[in-house]
Amino acid sequence: MTVVGPFGLSVRDQALEADVQVGLAAVEEGLLEATKSEVPFITEAAQHLVRAGGKRFRPLLVMLAAQFGDPYAPGVVPSAVVVELTHLATLYHDDVMDEAAVRRGVDSANTRWGNSVAVLTGDFLFARASQILADLGPEAVRVQALAFERLVTGQILETAGPSDGRDPVEHYLDVLGGKTGSLVAVSCRFGAMMSGADETVVDVLTQYGERLGVAFQLADDVLDIASDSHESGKTPGTDLREGIPTLPVLRLRERAARLGLPEDIALCELLDSDLSDDARHAEALAALRAHPALEQARRDTVRYAEEARAALAPLRECDAKAALMELCDAVVHRAG
């Protein structure tokens, strides 16, 4: 058994492993090439997060989905570069909005160069992704544009919050479908589409990616609370400190409203206080780690991962399908 990709994903077939490794190496070269500029400072800023590493989750999905057609088709690697560039661009913007200090174990771009440079660097990456897309054809441009619209809509909905009478958990899951699920779905869609896979296969893999993307983000939510290290590449409790209502917090508030238990209400009040204070932040983090809301968020993660696995049922049995199914397990494992 060999290992490739994020989370220690096991690939049992040597030919598949070789294809994936070669593809990911080509994507890495493509990312460095796409982030070069005639202006050295722009190159430095644009390659900041590329060189910081990352799981390359989306390019991995492109490579695995391409196995259902011709994995050597010329559009496969460029489409993987496009989805990773798009993802990286959103990270630059997210860190500005969240005032994050650390990303992937290094200083965030906004910490190092300020908000304006971080935002403009994200825009630069979007522009480079668009240039590559133009060579992949109008259908690729359309697919990416629709996904990007969903991504931005999800971000706006997160910023605006749920409308009156809307269940906050349902609202949040819709937000994740846009912010994260859309681009993960496109990763699977591009891999299958660029490889010339049958349209029904493209649709199946797109549905799988949508659900896996939400499970992936939910696992990050759990990890932000449960991790006592920098496993996520961010400081644990970052979302908590910034007042970002991730699923464990929403499940806590839901339980407090339903049961009215004094300890739940007290924890909600603590979360509503100023968590820039280190001692108060540590107290809130410890309390959430021990709270049933965290376990409920884990169960939600498992549910979406199982839905992703079920979506693969129509596909033929092969090593690529087995690897995609194992990714569902890997995502759940991240959430503990």
Side-chain angles (χ1 to χ4, degrees), residues 125-267:
L125 296 182
F126 284 132
R128 287 297 173 87
S130 297
Q131 289 181 36
I132 297 170
L133 268 171
D135 292 331
L136 295 178
E139 178 63 12
V141 173
R142 185 187 70 83
V143 167
Q144 175 76 354
L146 290 173
F148 191 50
E149 178 187 350
R150 287 190 60 206
L151 192 158
V152 173
T153 299
Q155 185 65 67
I156 292 172
L157 288 175
E158 180 182 53
T159 302
S163 57
D164 290 342
R166 180 82 194 278
D167 176 53
V169 171
E170 288 184 5
H171 171 82
Y172 182 66
L173 292 173
D174 282 348
V175 165
L176 295 192
K179 276 188 62 178
T180 306
S182 61
L183 194 56
V184 176
V186 164
S187 301
C188 294
R189 185 173 193 86
F190 272 165
M193 187 173 85
M194 294 299 166
S195 72
D198 185 83
E199 187 60 35
T200 58
V201 172
V202 174
D203 289 342
V204 164
L205 288 167
T206 302
Q207 293 169 27
Y208 162 84
E210 179 86 18
R211 289 160 177 78
L212 187 70
V214 175
F216 181 79
Q217 184 56 56
L218 293 179
D220 262 6
D221 286 0
V222 171
L223 196 60
D224 185 64
I225 301 298
S227 173
D228 58 4
S229 67
H230 291 166
E231 184 181 352
S232 64
K234 301 186 295 182
T235 303
T238 296
D239 293 335
L240 202 61
R241 191 186 292 275
E242 298 299 330
I244 298 171
T246 58
L247 192 63
V249 173
L250 293 173
R251 287 300 190 193
L252 164 67
R253 297 190 189 284
E254 179 185 61
R255 175 186 162 104
R258 186 177 73 252
L259 301 179
L261 298 176
E263 58 268 30
D264 291 349
I265 295 172
L267 180 52

Side-chain angles (χ1 to χ4, degrees), residues 31 33-39 42-47 85 89 93 117-131:
L31 288 171
E33 185 62 33
T35 49
K36 286 180 182 176
S37 168
E38 294 179 356
V39 181
I42 295 177
T43 301
E44 181 186 5
Q47 292 185 352
L85 281 176
H93 288 178
V117 169
V119 169
L120 291 170
T121 302
D123 293 345
F124 176 81
L125 296 182
F126 284 132
R128 287 297 173 87
S130 297
Q131 289 181 36

Side-chain angles (χ1 to χ4, degrees), residues 4-5 14-30 59-60 63 67 71-72 76-77 80:
V4 65
Q14 290 185 349
L16 173 58
E17 183 203 2
D19 281 349
V20 172
Q21 292 284 21
V22 168
L24 290 177
V27 170
E28 212 63 31
E29 291 179 8
L60 173 64
M63 297 305 144
Q67 293 293 319
Y72 311 111
V76 172
V77 169

Side-chain angles (χ1 to χ4, degrees), residues 13 51 91 111 122 141 301:
D13 180 76
R51 295 188 182 278
L91 297 185
T111 297
V141 173
T301 305

